[in-house]
Amino acid sequence: MIQEAKRECRGTWYLPAGRMEPGETIVEAMQREVKEEAGLLCEPVTLLSVEERGASWIRFVFLARPTGGVLKTSKDADSESLQAGWYPRVSLPTPLRAHDVLHLVELGAKFCQQAMHPLILPQELPCSVVCQRLVTTFTTVQSVWVLVGTVGTPHLPITACGFTPMEQRGGIKVAILRLLQECLTLHSLAVETKGLLGLQHLGRDHVDGVCLNVLVTVAFRNPGIQDEPPKIRGENYFWWKVLEEDLQKLLLYKLQESSVIPLSR
């Protein structure tokens, strides 16, 4: 935990955190903030969760391990923080800057005890906008289908986050529903965003977008006996039936065990 130095929250305690700077990767930003605020060098273990409030505010939460440096003491106080310290998670220092860190601390402890998903770190690949690449699935007892776009080379659908007030309030789920409305009759369907399979970002060369790989499920609200996915409207999309056994097992595992990075608001 670090003790804040900023005037508006001076003296309160929080996890090391901060804004990214131009030209940084997500991991580089995390490592810089930990060094500035806690005095420690660290390596990321995995993304723990991603929080978003539309395209203009996205927070990446990491589980990391210290690899060096010296823990910051009150003698080292500066504009970044007053000091840092290790605390048992059941007796964190007070007052806290905000209580949102309590859930994150518990999430990290839970992951250390039993990993909820594979170790996943951002892929350093360029992206020019804030967008989602959708792995949209429909499943029956024996089969899995994935929604595929047909414009150009067949591909997983991509939808960009908008900056309208409505899309900022609704977050990325609004952008997902906007895309699915193009090809599906949603009033008879239940759409659920399960979480993230991964993400890509680079940050260099004035390219500062991020692409979130989002796992989405589509199901009939009144399923009955449905052996086929919902009918597609138009010609821009189709349902691809997954026949490769290993891929089908992987998708079913991700869906049934929620083996994805949590995505929350």
Side-chain angles (χ1 to χ4, degrees):
M1 301 289 288
I2 62 97
Q3 191 173 35
E4 296 282 8
K6 295 185 284 290
R7 184 174 61 181
E8 63 271 20
C9 55
R10 187 178 180 86
T12 61
W13 292 84
Y14 206 64
L15 293 174
R19 296 177 181 273
M20 294 178 61
E21 295 181 354
E24 285 184 319
T25 68
I26 300 171
V27 169
E28 287 170 347
M30 180 273 292
Q31 292 173 318
R32 174 182 54 77
E33 288 290 349
V34 172
K35 181 65 168 64
E36 290 175 350
E37 296 189 348
L40 300 178
L41 305 176
C42 71
E43 286 295 326
V45 176
T46 184
L47 275 164
L48 270 182
S49 73
V50 174
E51 303 169 4
E52 57 88 19
R53 298 174 190 166
S56 60
W57 191 95
I58 302 174
R59 179 160 72 171
F60 307 96
V61 183
F62 285 90
L63 180 67
R65 64 169 62 95
T67 58
V70 178
L71 192 67
K72 194 172 192 176
T73 69
S74 57
K75 295 179 181 179
D76 306 312
D78 56 21
S79 60
E80 297 292 341
S81 67
L82 300 180
Q83 61 179 317
W86 294 103
Y87 293 88
R89 77 176 198 273
V90 294
S91 57
L92 297 178
T94 57
L96 293 175
R97 174 181 148 190
H99 285 78
D100 58 347
V101 295
L102 297 177
H103 166 70
L104 302 179
V105 170
E106 290 305 311
L107 191 64
K110 183 179 178 182
F111 193 96
C112 288
Q113 292 167 1
Q114 182 175 356
M116 295 84 76
H117 56 74
L119 303 182
I120 299 173
L121 293 173
Q123 296 294 304
E124 294 185 3
L125 297 170
C127 185
S128 59
V129 295
V130 178
C131 63
Q132 295 85 245
R133 181 183 292 114
L134 305 186
V135 181
T136 305
T137 62
F138 175 85
T139 61
T140 63
V141 175
Q142 296 181 329
S143 301
V144 179
W145 283 265
V146 173
L147 188 67
V148 173
T150 60
V151 178
T153 304
H155 60 278
L156 292 172
I158 295 177
T159 178
C161 293
F163 286 89
T164 65
M166 184 186 76
E167 295 217 6
Q168 288 298 295
R169 288 193 302 270
I172 70 169
K173 291 183 180 180
V174 170
I176 291 171
L177 292 174
R178 173 165 37 81
L179 183 143
L180 295 180
Q181 282 175 339
E182 295 178 20
C183 60
L184 298 172
T185 304
L186 292 186
H187 73 266
S188 63
L189 302 173
V191 177
E192 183 181 359
T193 301
K194 304 294 286 188
L196 297 185
L197 296 167
L199 62 90
Q200 70 182 65
H201 169 271
L202 187 61
R204 300 192 180 98
D205 302 321
H206 309 288
V207 179
D208 196 32
V210 59
C211 182
L212 308 174
N213 298 321
V214 185
L215 182 61
V216 178
T217 60
V218 172
F220 289 102
R221 292 187 184 275
N222 299 307
I225 301 175
Q226 299 288 349
D227 294 326
E228 298 290 334
K231 186 177 180 181
I232 296 287
R233 296 201 311 262
E235 300 178 352
N236 292 337
Y237 301 92
F238 71 95
W239 287 109
W240 171 61
K241 189 173 184 179
V242 179
L243 299 177
E244 185 182 335
E245 187 175 351
D246 288 345
L247 179 57
Q248 185 183 90
K249 286 182 178 179
L250 178 60
L251 284 171
L252 287 173
Y253 175 78
K254 295 284 186 184
L255 293 166
Q256 293 166 0
E257 302 298 326
S258 294
S259 180
V260 289
I261 299 169
L263 177 64
S264 58
R265 292 183 58 71

